[in-house]
Amino acid sequence: LAKTTQPISMDSYEGQEVNITCSHNNIATNDYITWYQQFPSQGPRFIIQGYKTKVTNEVASLFIPADRKSSTLSLPRVSLSDTAVYYCLVGDISAGGSYIPTFGRGTSLIVHP
Amino acid sequence: NAGVTQTPKFQVLKTGQSMTLQCAQDMNHNSMYWYRQDPGMGLRLIYYSASEGTTDKGEVPNGYNVSRLNKREFSLRLESAAPSQTSVYFCASSETGQGFSPLHFGNGTRLTVT
């Protein structure tokens, strides 16, 4: 099974930059790395996705080294509303060739005033 | 667009009762998924449907059945509920079912089995 490993929890303060690293040593050659954010009582929500190098959108940046065995989600200047659980996701391929999105246990980020 | 809609939002069952969790998406997505989320366990895949007409087991399929009724709807059935199935259940969809197509989630069904 594709497996991701992330820190269980992180603490930060408003206005700081937060970096969450995920390791995915068995990532498939053609797979993408996708990050999701989840608030209590809601389903996960897509944040950002990348294949290699760096991707940036309006909410985050994603850094992927050349070997693609890890990735780092960077949240600039966090606010209290960024308190959530963050998941990185890679996939497995079934015997029938279907892509199976596989979640790890996520990182619980708490932002303090 | 409502996205992914799950019903019901909450349900309490007694051991041995049956029920069906409903999921519908209005994005014309090909692939649909059922996950369960337990404290500290992340999301674990129960069943998925890569395309209309196909269903396959995920990581934790025991005690569940699914039906891909049409392209829009993917239901999850518990034939004889057990306390171990107390969890939050999330349905998700994906445009192509490939790694570059992000998942879109519903807001979950919180199920308690007593």
Side-chain angles (χ1 to χ4, degrees), chain B residues 14-90:
Chain B
K14 295 187 189 301
T15 297
Q17 287 185 318
S18 62
M19 79 161 296
T20 300
L21 282 65
Q22 306 286 354
C23 175
Q25 53 91 8
D26 62 2
M27 296 171 284
N28 200 35
H29 284 176
N30 287 310
S31 301
M32 298 185 74
Y33 310 83
W34 277 104
Y35 289 89
R36 61 177 287 175
Q37 186 172 39
D38 303 296
M41 297 294 292
L43 289 96
R44 293 183 293 170
L45 184 64
I46 305 171
Y47 270 92
Y48 65 100
S49 171
S51 61
E52 185 180 358
T54 69
T55 61
D56 284 288
K57 295 178 181 178
E59 182 185 357
V60 289
N62 291 346
Y64 305 96
N65 285 301
V66 291
S67 295
R68 183 77 182 265
L69 304 169
N70 47 55
K71 192 171 185 179
R72 290 186 64 248
E73 298 171 287
F74 189 38
S75 63
L76 178 72
R77 182 158 179 86
L78 288 70
E79 290 291 351
S80 180
S84 61
Q85 294 178 304
T86 293
S87 188
V88 181
Y89 292 85
F90 287 101

Side-chain angles (χ1 to χ4, degrees), chain A residues 31-32 34 36 38 41-44 46 49 87 89 94 98-101 103-105, chain B residues 33 35 37 40-43 45 48 50 90 97-100 102-103 105-107 110:
Chain A
D31 199 5
Y32 284 69
T34 311
Y36 294 84
Q38 186 180 27
S41 302
Q42 294 185 24
F46 171 83
Q49 182 182 71
Y87 293 94
L89 180 145
S94 72
S98 297
Y99 181 82
I100 305 173
F103 285 85
R105 299 191 177 191
Chain B
Y33 310 83
Y35 289 89
Q37 186 172 39
M41 297 294 292
L43 289 96
L45 184 64
Y48 65 100
F90 287 101
Q98 298 301 310
F100 52 82
L103 297 169
F105 283 86
N107 279 329
R110 187 175 297 275

Side-chain angles (χ1 to χ4, degrees), chain A residues 33-98:
Chain A
I33 300 145
T34 311
W35 284 79
Y36 294 84
Q37 175 190 57
Q38 186 180 27
F39 298 114
S41 302
Q42 294 185 24
R45 183 174 69 113
F46 171 83
I47 303 176
I48 196 166
Q49 182 182 71
Y51 181 78
K52 61 181 180 180
T53 62
K54 177 184 174 182
V55 179
T56 297
N57 63 20
E58 63 276 8
V59 298
S61 294
L62 180 60
F63 300 92
I64 304 169
D67 67 5
R68 301 193 344 111
K69 292 183 184 298
S70 67
S71 58
T72 299
L73 174 73
S74 181
L75 304 172
R77 299 179 298 281
V78 294
S79 64
L80 296 176
S81 63
D82 292 315
T83 293
V85 179
Y86 293 82
Y87 293 94
C88 75
L89 180 145
V90 294
D92 283 304
I93 302 297
S94 72
S98 297

